[in-house]
Amino acid sequence: MTGKKQQTAVRREQILRAALELTDEVGVERLSMRTVAERVSLSAMGLYRHFADKAEILDALVGRVLADVATGDLPAEWRPRLHAVAQQLLDAAVRHPEAFLLVLNRPYRAPEAIRVMEATYGILRDAGVDPDQLPRVERLVSTALIGYAAAVGSGAFWSGGSPDGPPMEPGAPEWRDELRRNVDDLGAVILRAR
């Protein structure tokens, strides 16, 4: 990588980091090109040299939020691998609850996001899902896992099953335990798609 390309890549990384911090602080709706530019000491026009518009930043943030999902030393067998990916999704949602909501409503353009989708396809193939059913089952599994992670990360569930209970703590072990049971149930659904 040439010096200029490396500088551009470093600057782009700084911009994405700032956009993620701002999204976590103020939410997606209040994120703007101007606020991101100010955070990294650029003019708004200077920011446009790195990202064409807010939509491009949001698409890149999907990748940033999913950067640690479907990575590391994943198990070879499909069920433990599904559990690992589900846990990584939950961890990402708890770390970045506001930005994680983008995973629900933005296209998967970033390489990190595409890697997560491909990993899910790989899990399903290894589980023996009928190739004709792969896209439908992938959507079912991804929606269940991402939706659960987003709800936990944003504190949407009631602790104890009642609105009168204590406030939800997204990082509490009860949600990880429930996720394990949910993934076991998804495993049964996956096996029916063979």
Side-chain angles (χ1 to χ4, degrees):
M1 188 180 291
T2 66
K4 185 166 174 82
K5 283 185 180 180
Q6 188 173 14
Q7 286 178 332
T8 300
V10 167
R11 191 58 156 161
R12 188 174 166 93
E13 176 64 26
Q14 291 170 339
I15 292 165
L16 275 179
R17 192 170 32 250
L20 181 59
E21 290 169 1
L22 281 165
T23 302
D24 285 342
E25 291 169 19
V26 302
V28 174
E29 296 303 318
R30 294 186 55 205
L31 182 74
S32 70
M33 296 294 276
R34 182 184 52 77
T35 58
V36 174
E38 288 172 0
R39 180 66 63 103
V40 294
S41 302
L42 275 176
S43 68
M45 293 311 294
L47 186 61
Y48 285 104
R49 283 185 285 162
H50 300 280
F51 291 93
D53 53 24
K54 181 178 173 180
E56 188 178 343
I57 289 177
L58 296 179
D59 290 345
L61 282 177
V62 171
R64 174 49 52 93
V65 168
L66 294 177
D68 295 331
V69 177
T71 63
D73 192 17
L74 294 174
E77 295 198 22
W78 74 267
R79 282 182 195 260
R81 197 170 356 132
L82 181 62
H83 277 277
V85 168
Q87 184 60 59
Q88 290 171 345
L89 284 166
L90 181 58
D91 291 343
V94 169
R95 263 192 316 275
H96 301 290
E98 288 292 325
F100 191 84
L101 296 175
L102 292 168
V103 175
L104 289 169
N105 62 22
R106 299 296 307 174
Y108 282 21
R109 293 193 173 109
E112 303 91 344
I114 293 168
R115 182 191 64 236
V116 173
M117 188 176 70
E118 289 173 344
T120 306
Y121 270 91
I123 290 167
L124 298 175
R125 274 192 293 277
D126 289 352
V129 171
D130 181 328
D132 293 338
Q133 296 298 317
L134 274 173
R136 181 187 68 79
V137 178
E138 184 277 330
R139 288 188 293 271
L140 172 73
V141 169
S142 292
T143 301
L145 297 180
I146 292 167
Y148 183 83
V152 170
S154 63
F157 294 141
W158 297 322
S159 222
S162 166
D164 300 326
M168 177 187 180
E169 176 56 48
E174 68 190 276
W175 306 116
R176 295 180 192 300
D177 293 341
E178 186 174 294
L179 176 63
R180 276 191 289 280
R181 291 190 306 275
N182 291 351
V183 173
D184 287 340
D185 290 344
L186 273 174
V189 170
I190 290 167
L191 289 177
R192 285 198 299 269
R194 288 179 163 183

